Amino acid sequence: MDIGQLHQSIRTENVRITDHADEEIAADCLVLDDVYASVLAGEIIEDYLTDHPLPSCLVYGQSTRGDPIHSVWAYNQVSGRAVLVTVYRPDPDRWIDWRQRKKL
C-alpha cells in the first residue's frame, strides 16, 4: 500500500470509518481531523499484506498538537476508498520512538 493512496482518499473524502474506529476515537478523546492530519503528515510503519478482506497498514503520525497517533488503514483498489479500521494513542511502554515495537 502507498501512503499517497490514503492521502488521496482523505483529501477527496472517500473514507469509510468502521464502528470500531469510531469507538476508539471517542475512547481516546481524539478528533477525526487529528487522525486525518496524522496520516497526511505520517508514515506507514507496518504492512499487513495478508489481511482480509483487504490488505492494511499501520500509520504513525502526530495530531495537530504533536501527540502520537497510530491508525490502521485498509485500501480498496477498485473503489479508491480508504477504510479506517482502528486508531489509538500508542503506549510508550510498547513502542520505540512510536515506530518500532519493543520486544517484551
Side-chain angles (χ1 to χ4, degrees):
M1 185 179 316
D2 182 325
I3 199 156
Q5 295 168 313
L6 299 178
H7 292 178
Q8 180 66 20
S9 293
I10 290 169
R11 287 187 180 115
T12 60
E13 300 179 6
N14 193 11
V15 174
R16 183 173 78 79
I17 301 166
T18 65
D19 290 341
H20 176 73
D22 196 43
E23 291 167 4
E24 292 301 308
I25 288 168
D28 278 0
C29 299
L30 293 168
V31 177
L32 188 56
D33 285 344
D34 276 339
V35 175
Y36 288 160
S38 75
V39 175
L40 293 172
E43 61 186 287
I44 295 174
I45 59 173
E46 293 180 0
D47 283 303
Y48 311 125
L49 301 177
T50 59
D51 276 1
H52 291 286
L54 297 168
S56 63
C57 65
L58 176 63
V59 175
Y60 159 68
Q62 296 181 345
S63 71
T64 55
R65 293 176 310 283
D67 299 322
I69 296 175
H70 280 177
S71 52
V72 175
W73 293 84
Y75 184 79
N76 186 320
Q77 296 284 347
V78 175
S79 68
R81 175 172 281 183
V83 179
L84 178 58
V85 177
T86 193
V87 61
Y88 58 91
R89 295 178 189 272
D91 180 348
D93 293 333
R94 304 182 113 209
W95 292 91
I96 300 168
D97 196 26
W98 311 121
R99 290 175 179 85
Q100 182 181 358
R101 292 179 193 268
K102 289 182 179 178
K103 297 193 182 351
L104 300 174

